[in-house]
C-alpha cells in the first residue's frame, strides 16, 4: 500500500488486530512492490506450507476490515490448518495434492498432546503433504466423515486423500504419535 495513512491501511490494521495469530507486515516500498510484481494496492497472503501466495487488489472495489479478514482466513494455510467452511477454499486451491486429516474431538483432554505430535509430524512433510485438523464437533464436518466412511466410534483417525485421483486411505488410531503419522504417510507415498 503506497499511502501509509490511507483508509485501506486503517482497515488492514483493524483486520490484523482481529487475527493476532497471523503475522502482518505493511510496506509502501517501491522495491518491495517490484520484487513481488505488485502494481496496485494489494494484500498478499504468503503461505509457507505450499510456498504459494494469494493476492487481493484493494483498489478494485470497496474493501473493509471484514472483507480483508475473510480473504486472509480463506487463503491462509498453516503447518496444521483447521478444516472448516472458511478454510476449505484455501485447502482446495493448494498446490499440494496430498491432504492428511487428523479427525478428532478437539474438546477431548488428549487434544493438546495429539496436536503437539501431529504438528511435529507435519514439519517432516512440509511441502509434500497438507496437514489438516478436522473437529468432529462441527456439524459442517459430518460430510467429510461420511466421505471417509468413518463413525465417531472409530476416532481419532488419520485420513489421507490424493486430490487428483481421489485415492484415499484411513487409519483409526488409539494414540497419535509422530512415528505412526510418519509411517502412515510414507506407506501412502510409496
Amino acid at each position: 500500500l503506497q499511502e501509509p495513512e490511507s483508509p485501506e491501511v486503517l482497515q488492514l490494521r483493524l483486520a490484523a488486530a482481529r487475527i493476532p495469530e497471523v503475522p502482518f507486515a505493511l510496506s509502501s516500498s517501491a522495491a518491495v512492490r517490484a520484487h513481488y510484481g505488485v502494481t496496485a494496492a494489494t494484500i498478499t497472503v504468503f503461505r509457507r506450507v505450499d510456498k504459494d501466495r494469494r493476492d487481493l487488489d484493494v483498489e478494485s472495489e470497496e474493501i473493509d476490515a471484514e472483507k480483508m479478514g475473510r480473504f486472509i482466513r480463506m487463503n491462509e494455510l498453516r503447518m496444521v490448518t483447521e478444516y472448516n467452511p472458511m478454510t476449505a477454499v484455501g485447502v482446495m486451491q493448494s498446490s499440494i495434492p496430498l491432504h492428511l486429516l487428523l479427525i478428532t474431538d478437539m474438546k477431548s483432554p488428549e487434544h493438546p498432546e495429539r496436536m503437539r505430535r501431529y504438528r511435529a509430524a507435519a514439519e517432516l512433510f512440509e511441502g509434500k503433504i497438507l496437514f489438516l485438523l478436522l473437529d468432529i464437533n462441527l456439524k459442517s464436518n459430518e460430510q467429510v466423515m461420511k466421505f471417509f466412511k468413518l463413525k465417531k466410534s472409530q476416532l481419532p483417525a488419520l485420513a489421507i486423500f490424493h486430490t487428483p485421483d481421489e485415492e484415499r486411505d484411513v487409519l483409526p488410531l488409539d494414540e497419535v504419535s509422530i512415528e505412526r503419522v510418519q509411517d502412515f504417510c510414507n506407506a501412502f507415498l510409496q
Side-chain angles (χ1 to χ4, degrees):
L1 300 166
Q2 293 182 4
E3 299 298 323
E5 302 304 318
S6 70
E8 294 88 5
V9 171
L10 175 63
Q11 293 301 307
L12 179 62
R13 290 182 196 281
L14 288 171
R18 294 176 184 166
I19 313 172
E21 66 277 10
V22 175
F24 281 80
L26 180 63
S27 177
S28 59
S29 164
V32 170
R33 284 193 311 274
H35 176 78
Y36 291 108
V38 173
T39 58
T42 303
I43 294 176
T44 301
V45 175
F46 295 96
R47 301 191 313 200
R48 173 181 163 200
V49 171
D50 62 359
K51 311 292 187 251
D52 204 354
R53 75 183 245 193
R54 296 287 185 258
D55 294 325
L56 174 66
D57 180 351
V58 297
E59 292 179 349
S60 65
E61 60 180 277
E62 182 92 15
I63 303 291
D64 61 13
E66 186 176 323
K67 288 179 183 175
M68 288 178 185
R70 190 171 36 249
F71 170 77
I72 292 163
R73 287 285 188 216
M74 284 174 32
N75 289 290
E76 70 168 322
L77 292 179
R78 300 167 183 235
M79 195 55 67
V80 174
T81 301
E82 185 177 342
Y83 186 86
N84 57 48
M86 183 70 77
T87 60
V89 173
V91 167
M92 296 307 164
Q93 292 179 348
S94 172
S95 60
I96 299 176
L98 199 54
H99 301 170
L100 179 71
L101 292 87
L102 172 59
I103 303 171
T104 188
D105 179 355
M106 289 177 58
K107 294 178 182 176
S108 164
E110 291 87 18
H111 179 71
E113 184 58 24
R114 281 184 193 142
M115 281 306 299
R116 186 191 67 72
R117 293 177 185 153
Y118 192 59
R119 274 193 189 93
E123 303 234 349
L124 301 172
F125 294 94
E126 183 178 338
K128 296 177 190 163
I129 299 175
L130 187 59
F131 277 62
L132 304 169
L133 172 66
L134 189 106
D135 185 7
I136 62 168
N137 297 304
L138 289 180
K139 183 120 177 98
S140 59
N141 288 337
E142 289 176 2
Q143 287 300 105
V144 178
M145 287 179 51
K146 286 179 186 174
F147 178 78
F148 288 106
K149 298 177 174 95
L150 282 168
K151 297 176 184 144
K152 285 189 177 186
S153 62
Q154 297 172 293
L155 302 176
L158 292 175
I160 198 161
F161 180 70
H162 187 245
T163 56
D165 59 12
E166 296 191 8
E167 185 178 344
R168 60 185 162 228
D169 195 8
V170 174
L171 176 67
L173 299 167
D174 295 332
E175 179 183 325
V176 175
S177 72
I178 298 168
E179 295 77 21
R180 293 213 51 204
V181 173
Q182 189 174 14
D183 291 346
F184 183 64
C185 291
N186 285 333
F188 194 84
L189 287 169
Q190 291 174 355

